[in-house]
Amino acid sequence: MTTWQRDPRALWRRSGDRIILAPPGDGACVLLEDTAAITWRLLEVPIEHTELVALLGELFDADADTVRTEVEAFLVGLMDLDAVVRS
Amino acid sequence: MTTTLVGEVAAHGLPGQEAPLREEALSGSAWRSLVRTVDRQRLAGFLHAAIEAKRLPVTDDQQREADDLHLRWCAGALRLDRLLLHLAAALEDEGIEVVVLKGTAVAHLAYPDPALRSYGDVDLLFRSEQFDEALEVLYGQGYVRPAAPAGRDFDRRFGKGATLKGADGHELDVHRNLVFGTFGYAIELGELFASATTFHLGGRSLQALGPETRLLHACYHAALGDPDPRYSSIRDIAQMVATGTHDADRLLVLAERWQARAVLARGFWLCREHLGVELRGPLPRALDGYVPTRREQRAIDSYVGSNRHFAAKVVASLPYLDSNRDRAAFIWATAVPPSRFTRSRGSDPGVAWIRRGFRSLFRGHQR
């Protein structure tokens, strides 16, 4: 079972519906909007992948397969930036 | 009109501040003036929050502008937080204790969301005995000190700190005291470290001033830092008085020992004058109607009065020093400072500088 959580080294601020994220290191800040920002906020506490997909599917009224693929790609991208941790 | 509205924006989120600030969106020129002031006063977070809470109606364009302004300040704060983490690690590696001051610490400890409190620099406090070492570490990180020190001994015994410049031009304020001169000499510097608290940033524990000394510092900064202090600095006082975890009795004892009651009283007065809020609770009650002594007033004037030259601070500082030996050392170090030092403060070296000191003394006694 895969669980996702924010890497505590990642710095971020919320500005309205947007999140500005500074991953560890010297890399550029990343702006998260819409579904990306909501996903980040759902990572407030560690969350199982299946639960995250189900929640986002409900929120956006989208089919689970589409959400699963999109979320996976997004989170792997954040993992590459050291902004999230998969366990 | 804008001045009043800026104060109202700065007070957004304080208890009792829920009524709409305006019924309709501001006109183009009034909005532009507001945004300029908000930017200068580091209030982007409060403006954004007031709009989000529907207290300030805006057009779509104004909303976008407020969003962008806030995002810019957030990005700046993240860059500074990263810098702080980097410097804290380098200092810790050399065994140097550091306490994070002002915007960064206040944003993370005093506000429900750090995005509310915009800040534009990093301020670090070091123990006097580690100050030189800390500077060496920071020089090793590429910082330079553009204003020459009055001397190493002066730095350690009487100085407030220094402003360093990074390779890309950003400023880093390093402190060994919370204020230069007068009130600064009554502060028990060891207490600032003994009562420090921790906050977490980027997976790391950092030290900040404790709740009582943090509120005192906010008052020193707003009350003495500038005749026209930033609204964000004044808001910090109101925020901490309204929602802080300080022990009012302990804070009043510290203020008494550090001869800072007039500073607190001025800080609370600034909240009334600029934010239009009446602070409540035991602290403002204890200082309600406080009348500064002549010595306190002279000291405050040396920072924010019309005669606020460096020499005036020197003269006003003498009664705050503990012993004649300290006074003699202080007078010697400040009366005949190295010409590099006086030039860096925009003064004429030598005799002209001393004359200015005597003139300020004369003016002080005329009041």
Side-chain angles (χ1 to χ4, degrees), chain B residues 88-111:
Chain B
L91 290 158
E92 195 181 290
D93 284 349
E94 297 301 323
I96 293 167
E97 195 175 357
V98 54
V99 168
V100 182
L101 299 176
K102 293 164 72 172
T104 319
V106 170
H108 287 91
L109 283 165
Y111 289 92

Side-chain angles (χ1 to χ4, degrees), chain B residues 135-341:
Chain B
L135 285 181
E136 290 303 325
V137 172
L138 295 169
Y139 295 153
Q141 295 293 317
Y143 286 92
V144 294
R145 183 176 183 176
R152 283 209 157 190
D153 191 48
F154 182 87
D155 258 0
R156 268 194 308 266
R157 288 182 72 182
F158 303 117
K160 176 195 172 195
T163 297
L164 307 185
K165 263 201 188 321
D168 62 357
H170 75 265
E171 288 188 348
L172 173 70
D173 287 331
V174 293
H175 305 246
R176 63 162 282 279
N177 201 338
L178 303 183
V179 57
F180 172 75
T182 61
F183 299 104
Y185 300 136
I187 296 174
E188 297 153 290
L189 299 179
E191 175 63 26
L192 303 177
F193 291 85
S195 61
T197 190
T198 56
F199 68 104
H200 301 284
L201 182 69
R204 192 182 183 95
S205 287
L206 297 167
Q207 283 201 107
L209 294 176
E212 292 83 20
T213 49
R214 200 179 328 128
L215 176 48
L216 270 167
H217 186 207
C219 289
Y220 284 121
H221 181 57
L224 307 176
D226 197 296
D228 194 13
R230 277 202 194 99
Y231 279 82
S232 54
S233 304
I234 301 170
R235 167 59 190 258
D236 287 344
I237 298 172
Q239 179 72 19
M240 286 188 250
V241 169
T243 66
T245 55
H246 54 270
D247 176 328
D249 290 335
R250 183 176 134 66
L251 200 151
L252 286 168
V253 168
L254 280 180
E256 183 70 39
R257 281 209 319 250
W258 295 2
Q259 304 170 45
R261 289 168 71 88
V263 177
L264 276 183
R266 180 169 161 79
F268 299 162
W269 173 81
L270 286 168
C271 292
R272 272 197 305 277
E273 283 293 301
H274 292 258
L275 307 187
V277 294
E278 203 58 54
L279 300 179
R280 299 186 194 289
L283 271 180
R285 238 187 346 263
L287 293 165
D288 189 29
Y290 184 82
V291 179
T293 63
R294 192 177 159 82
R295 184 175 92 163
E296 288 170 337
Q297 193 56 56
R298 190 176 298 146
I300 288 173
D301 287 348
S302 73
Y303 293 90
V304 294
S306 53
N307 175 35
R308 55 179 184 277
H309 189 267
F310 183 73
K313 288 188 189 70
V314 170
V315 171
S317 296
L318 299 179
Y320 287 83
L321 289 161
D322 276 341
S323 64
N324 284 334
R325 184 180 292 271
D326 281 347
R327 281 180 207 113
F330 183 69
I331 289 166
W332 179 250
T334 53
V336 195
S339 57
R340 277 186 317 143
F341 174 69

Side-chain angles (χ1 to χ4, degrees), chain A residues 8 13-16 18 23 25 27, chain B residues 48 52 67 70 81-82 119 202-203:
Chain A
R13 293 281 193 284
R14 182 185 75 84
S15 178
R18 301 188 283 187
Chain B
H48 196 264
E52 204 171 38
D67 287 349
H70 186 226
D81 285 357
R82 265 183 174 169
Y119 45 93

Side-chain angles (χ1 to χ4, degrees), chain A residues 8-29 31, chain B residues 48 52 67-68 70-71 74-75 77-79 81-82 85 107-108 113-115 119 201-203:
Chain A
R9 294 172 303 157
L11 303 169
W12 61 281
R13 293 281 193 284
R14 182 185 75 84
S15 178
D17 296 335
R18 301 188 283 187
I19 300 289
I20 182 158
L21 173 66
D26 297 329
C29 287
L31 187 63
Chain B
H48 196 264
E52 204 171 38
D67 287 349
D68 290 346
H70 186 226
L71 210 56
C74 285
L78 290 176
R79 275 194 294 276
D81 285 357
R82 265 183 174 169
L85 290 168
H108 287 91
D113 180 353
Y119 45 93
L201 182 69

